Amino acid sequence: MIYYTILFYVFAVLAVATAFYVVFAKNVIHSAFALFGTLFAVAGLFVLLNADFIAITQIMVYVGGILVLMIFGVMLTTKIADIDIHTKNLNRIPAILFSTGITVILIFILFTTKWNIKPQVQNQETVSQIGKLMLTTYLLPFEIASIVLLVALVGSAMYARKTK
Amino acid sequence: MPEWLIDILITLTKIVIVEGVILTAVAYSVYAERRVSAFTQNRIGPNRVGPAGLLQPLVDVVKLLMKEDIVPAKANRLVHALAPGISILVALSTFAVIPFGDKILLAGREIKLQIADVNIGILYILALVSLGVYGVTLSGWSSNSKYSLLGGLRSSAQMISYELSMGLAVLGVILINGSFELDTIVQNQFGWKWNIILQPIGFLTFLVSAFAETNRTPFDLPEAEQELVGGYHTEYSSMKFAMFFLAEYANVIVASSVITTLYLGGWQFPYLQTFGLPDMLVSILQVLAFCGKVFLMVLFFIWVRWTIPRFRYDQLMNLGWKAMLPLALANLVLTAIILTLFKT
């Protein structure tokens, strides 16, 4: 049990520290790297919660897909001659108001929710259960998400095709 | 000794043995590649160091270790050093979930011949495959050279495109077995019920995608010598270059093992149980069967490399998106329909 707690704090500290670095790094590529660490640490937290499927999906989708595309974009936009493109801060006051608002809401939810604490269960196969839930109880959100993705796909194909 | 310590020791022993075998196999697949290519082109190949040139890989490793390590002046040093490490780490850690044999009984203790039996083994492999693109992309970007960058860009596009058809091809196997566990998938391929017979289209799409993911000919555009000098590893030398080289062959071996596990019956040896051999011998023969199948797949990789010319970039993308992806999708739908209609 003690190992569990130690691992939890290792992953938690790693996630928060790298997330800070993502925001404060001057070099975009360094930010992307730090994001790599954040996403991995969150995947580690999912593993600790016995949510192995979500952990692997997190790595596949975010680390293997989205982050690669982001780095890809950075590589294409930077000139080959100089490797440093810098980030700077814009609209500080609205950003501060907005993020404080979100923080307050999150803390409020954290303390008012009645957390459902269960004893630790044996690691069991989650994939089939998730699949069943997605196609029965949560069918509507699942379908809405797929329509959103389809629209995005059609839209990007529209932009990408050659104009005649 | 406490129970948990024994468990850790067993796992560590398995890791050391498996990784040792793989690294040796990597060195010798380079040798095999050189000999087979020589045979294909009617040459002799390396035959000076040791009997029939068998010590050549060891000498090559020493040579690469002694070479000067040159980093381009304007390179991003940290990323430049990190990229080969990522490549080799991803290649070697994929082997953790591959079952290379059934159980063996040793001193009254049942030992599974697989390093980690996770119940989402296939997803673990796909996740690691999707990480493989980092080594290539980052090395291309950090070298600060146009050839490296172009090689890196090409490879990211190629690997992302073929990951899709790879994942979809695997879904057919998952549908048949109803499990993500590689051990279960191998157990189900008992006798001649290999997935290559049940899933011929899936096997074909997976095989082609595996060639693209490992950056081997006919899909070796990221390092096309005639256009890009050396591609993403143009600016690498000494051991860092060797690590990319090792990663490429490790990837070939891992891809062969994954194909063997998913489609060629893994460690199953048809009709072996009918001979009435002692259990220990059966286990050893099964491990040897696995090694033999992997060896044949590696030979196939080499054979294709020295037979088929390289694709053009638009051909590669057309094949990936317009042929492989629809084929994999059709295979998935077909498998699902057949399973719904005929599953008893």
Side-chain angles (χ1 to χ4, degrees):
Chain A
M1 213 53 212
I2 183 89
Y3 300 110
Y4 183 91
T5 318
I6 293 172
L7 276 176
F8 172 80
Y9 280 108
V10 167
F11 283 128
V13 168
L14 199 66
V16 174
T18 47
F20 268 107
Y21 194 76
V22 172
V23 182
F24 292 113
K26 288 278 178 247
N27 190 325
V28 178
I29 275 283
H30 290 172
S31 287
F33 256 130
L35 193 58
F36 187 91
T38 315
L39 295 170
F40 249 103
V42 173
L45 289 176
F46 280 134
V47 171
L48 284 183
L49 291 169
N50 278 341
D52 45 4
F53 178 73
I54 300 180
I56 288 286
T57 319
Q58 161 96 4
I59 291 175
M60 257 164 95
V61 174
Y62 284 96
V63 185
I66 293 173
L67 193 56
V68 171
L69 289 179
M70 279 162 85
I71 290 180
F72 202 74
V74 172
M75 274 166 50
L76 280 174
T77 46
T78 324
K79 275 188 226 143
I80 296 172
D82 59 331
I83 22 176
D84 40 291
I85 35 172
H86 293 300
T87 49
K88 55 181 177 181
N89 302 324
L90 295 168
N91 300 330
R92 279 174 198 244
I93 293 162
I96 289 172
L97 288 177
F98 193 70
S99 45
T100 343
I102 289 183
T103 317
V104 168
I105 292 172
L106 282 178
I107 290 174
F108 180 71
I109 291 171
L110 184 68
F111 284 108
T112 50
T113 312
K114 204 163 155 275
W115 294 103
N116 192 0
I117 299 169
K118 274 186 183 171
Q120 200 177 5
V121 285
Q122 192 65 36
N123 193 1
Q124 53 191 355
E125 193 163 8
T126 49
V127 184
S128 54
Q129 295 171 22
I130 291 174
K132 275 186 192 123
L133 281 178
M134 262 193 187
L135 292 176
T136 51
T137 319
Y138 301 105
L139 184 62
L140 190 66
F142 179 65
E143 289 297 331
I144 290 175
S146 60
I147 287 173
V148 170
L149 288 176
L150 183 70
V151 170
L153 205 67
V154 172
S156 55
M158 261 288 289
Y159 277 116
R161 77 169 184 182
K162 286 174 193 147
T163 42
K164 280 180 185 163
Chain B
M1 248 194 306
E3 199 68 8
W4 59 270
L5 194 65
I6 299 177
D7 281 342
I8 289 179
L9 278 179
I10 289 173
T11 314
L12 275 179
T13 320
K14 282 195 278 193
I15 293 174
V16 168
I17 292 174
V18 168
E19 299 297 349
V21 168
I22 290 181
L23 285 174
T24 320
V26 163
Y28 276 92
S29 53
V30 179
Y31 170 76
E33 172 119 273
R34 293 178 63 184
R35 287 304 287 232
V36 172
S37 71
F39 174 72
T40 318
Q41 297 170 338
N42 214 356
R43 294 183 284 115
I44 295 170
N47 68 345
R48 292 291 150 192
V49 193
L54 273 172
L55 294 178
Q56 187 73 42
L58 305 176
V59 183
D60 279 346
V61 168
V62 174
K63 180 196 78 174
L64 281 163
L65 276 172
M66 311 273 278
K67 278 195 167 180
E68 189 190 353
D69 181 30
I70 301 164
V71 182
K74 275 198 156 185
N76 188 324
R77 285 182 167 268
L78 176 71
V79 183
H80 191 264
L82 209 61
I86 295 179
S87 277
I88 195 127
L89 176 82
V90 167
L92 290 182
S93 44
T94 314
F95 219 90
V97 293
I98 291 173
F100 49 92
D102 204 5
K103 306 173 190 73
I104 53 166
L105 275 171
L106 216 63
R109 185 176 273 279
E110 207 171 63
I111 298 171
K112 244 182 171 174
L113 293 180
Q114 182 185 16
I115 295 173
D117 184 20
V118 288
N119 54 26
I120 43 167
I122 293 183
L123 284 176
Y124 171 86
I125 290 176
L126 288 177
L128 279 178
V129 163
S130 68
L131 292 186
V133 70
Y134 277 98
V136 178
T137 315
L138 292 177
S139 61
W141 176 80
S142 64
S143 299
N144 205 10
S145 137
K146 57 189 169 213
Y147 296 121
S148 301
L149 185 72
L150 282 174
L153 282 177
R154 276 187 180 186
S155 123
S156 342
Q158 172 179 335
M159 288 168 106
I160 291 174
S161 307
Y162 279 85
E163 242 165 58
L164 284 174
S165 34
M166 192 177 221
L168 283 172
V170 171
L171 279 181
V173 175
I174 296 171
L175 274 184
I176 288 181
N177 292 285
S179 171
F180 284 86
E181 259 175 90
L182 289 167
D183 193 40
T184 318
I185 289 171
V186 176
Q187 299 278 5
N188 286 347
Q189 300 182 65
F190 184 75
W192 280 108
K193 270 174 60 191
W194 292 5
N195 283 329
I196 184 175
I197 300 164
L198 303 170
Q199 284 278 313
I201 308 172
F203 173 71
L204 200 70
T205 38
F206 192 88
L207 188 71
V208 173
S209 311
F211 271 89
E213 287 292 330
T214 48
N215 288 327
R216 296 277 297 183
T217 330
F219 306 114
D220 65 339
L221 288 130
E223 42 181 318
E225 296 92 348
Q226 295 86 341
E227 304 153 33
L228 293 175
V229 189
Y232 57 88
H233 54 55
T234 307
E235 304 291 348
Y236 280 87
S237 48
S238 179
M239 206 50 209
K240 287 183 195 153
F241 170 73
M243 276 162 92
F244 277 122
F245 210 61
L246 280 178
E248 181 185 335
Y249 285 92
N251 273 324
V252 169
I253 291 176
V254 165
S256 306
S257 321
V258 174
I259 291 170
T260 307
T261 309
L262 290 180
Y263 291 99
L264 302 177
W267 42 260
Q268 298 278 9
F269 191 123
Y271 310 120
L272 189 64
Q273 279 77 4
T274 54
F275 299 144
L277 296 169
D279 283 351
M280 196 64 193
L281 192 63
V282 168
S283 298
I284 292 172
L285 279 176
Q286 281 169 336
V287 173
L288 286 179
F290 178 78
C291 296
K293 287 173 189 174
V294 172
F295 176 70
L296 288 178
M297 269 315 293
V298 171
L299 269 189
F300 180 71
F301 266 85
I302 296 173
W303 179 26
V304 167
R305 172 163 179 187
W306 296 98
T307 313
I308 299 176
R310 184 181 300 133
F311 278 88
R312 229 173 40 227
Y313 199 68
D314 57 323
Q315 290 172 330
L316 169 94
M317 282 296 157
N318 277 344
L319 183 74
W321 290 100
K322 292 182 187 165
M324 284 303 140
L325 191 62
L327 209 59
L329 269 175
N331 178 54
L332 177 62
V333 174
L334 201 70
T335 313
I337 290 174
I338 292 176
L339 278 181
T340 328
L341 288 179
F342 299 109
K343 201 172 185 183
T344 45

